[in-house]
Amino acid sequence: MKDVHAVDAVRTRAGHYQEITCPTTAPCSTTTSLAYDIAGPADGPLLVLGPSLGTSRLIWDAHSDFLNEQFRVLRYDLPGHGGSPTAALGHPVPGTTTVARLADSVLELVDQVGGDTFAYAGISLGGAVGTQLALAYPNRITALGLICTSAHFGGRTAWRERAALVRRSGMAPLAESSPSRWFAEPATADSPLGRSLLDSLTRVEPDGYAACCDMLATFDLRTDLHTVTAPTWVLGGTRDVATPVVHARELADSIPRAGLRIADCAHLALEAPEAVGALLRHLRTAAAGPPPDCGE
C-alpha cells in the first residue's frame, strides 16, 4: 500500500496541493489531541472524513486520488485509534464520553485549519459524528454523507459489555471477530487495505476503544433527524450486520430530502467503491451549490 504521507508530500513539492500531516504516532495539534492530516488544493472546498470504530484514516485511501483532486480533505483518527491518543478525551471516566463531545473536538480541527463551512462524510461512528455536527452546527455543514451508520446503535447493554471486555482483555477479542463484521468477502479482508485495517485494530488503545463504545451506548438522534438541513446522502450495505439496511432507511426516511443507496457490502463498505465514490461526488456537487433535489 502507498504511504499516504509520502504521496501527499510529493504532491506538495510539485506545487499542486497544500498538505499538513501529523505522524501516525503523535497528535498534530497543540490545541486538540486528535491526529489528522489535510491534503488537496488549498482553495478547494473542505471535506472532513470520519472513520469507523476500530479503524483509522487509512479507510479512505481507496478514494484518495479523487478526493485530493476535488476537495481540501481533512481526515482524523478517533481517540485511541491511529495517531490519536485516548488522552484526546481528557481523562474519560467509563460511561461518560459522548458523540457530542467528539464532534466538538472535530470542529476544533476544522477551526484550527481555518475552515468555515465544510462537507462531511463518515462511516459508522464517523457518520454519527457527522449527524451530530449537522444538528448542532447547521450553518457550517454544506453536505453530509452517511455510510453504514445509524441514528442509534442498539442501546446501552451490548456496548457497555463490549467496553468492559476490551478494558479487561484488550483488543484481541475484537481482532478475532471484526473480519466477519467488516468485510463481506475473504478477499477484501486479505487485500492490502483490509490487512492494514486489521493490523491497525490490534494497535488501538483499549481505553480509547472502550470510550468510543460508551459514546455509541448513549447515542440516539432519532427524534432530531427531521431538523437536519444539509443535503444528505445515505449508503447502506446489504451484508452489514453492525448497522443493517433498516438503519440506513431510517436515516433516509427521517432526514428531509435525503438520498439513499443500498449496495452489496459489509460494514466498512469496501466492497462498494463505486457507491462510495458516487456519494463523494454528490458531496462535491453540493459543496459547489446544492441541486434542487438532493435525492439520487
Side-chain angles (χ1 to χ4, degrees), residues 53-240:
L53 176 66
T55 70
S56 71
R57 288 168 279 169
L58 291 174
I59 200 167
W60 298 103
D61 274 8
H63 302 280
S64 60
D65 287 343
F66 168 79
L67 289 168
N68 290 342
E69 291 173 356
Q70 299 295 323
F71 293 97
R72 186 181 182 214
V73 182
L74 188 160
R75 310 184 306 173
Y76 67 90
D77 285 330
L78 298 168
H81 296 60
S84 294
T86 302
L89 295 169
H91 300 284
V93 176
T96 64
T97 49
T98 65
V99 171
R101 180 177 174 184
L102 177 58
D104 285 342
S105 294
V106 172
L107 194 65
E108 289 178 18
L109 294 182
V110 174
D111 292 339
Q112 182 177 328
V113 302
D116 182 13
T117 59
F118 58 97
Y120 186 100
I123 304 168
S124 191
L125 174 54
V129 169
T131 306
Q132 181 71 47
L133 286 168
L135 287 168
Y137 307 99
N139 293 333
R140 300 193 65 175
I141 307 298
T142 60
L144 182 63
L146 303 176
I147 302 170
C148 295
T149 188
S150 182
H152 63 102
F153 290 83
R156 300 169 185 253
T157 301
W159 287 109
R160 289 187 170 163
E161 288 176 351
R162 188 188 295 191
L165 171 66
V166 170
R167 288 186 173 107
R168 181 176 64 250
S169 303
M171 297 305 299
L174 277 299
E176 293 178 2
S177 62
S178 290
S180 62
R181 297 196 311 274
W182 283 3
F183 311 115
E185 300 291 344
T188 311
D190 197 43
S191 68
L193 180 55
R195 291 195 301 270
S196 293
L197 290 170
L198 289 169
D199 181 61
S200 68
L201 175 63
T202 65
R203 298 193 300 273
V204 172
E205 296 176 6
D207 284 346
Y209 187 97
C212 290
C213 291
D214 291 336
M215 296 178 194
L216 292 173
T218 58
F219 181 76
D220 191 342
L221 297 181
R222 283 176 286 184
T223 61
D224 300 319
L225 292 176
H226 70 283
T227 67
V228 173
T229 57
T232 301
W233 290 271
V234 181
L235 174 62
T238 56
R239 291 194 271 181
D240 181 1

Side-chain angles (χ1 to χ4, degrees), residues 252-270:
D253 289 344
S254 302
I255 295 174
R257 302 171 65 209
L260 173 65
R261 181 166 180 172
I262 305 300
D264 184 23
C265 63
H267 190 53
L268 300 188
L270 295 186

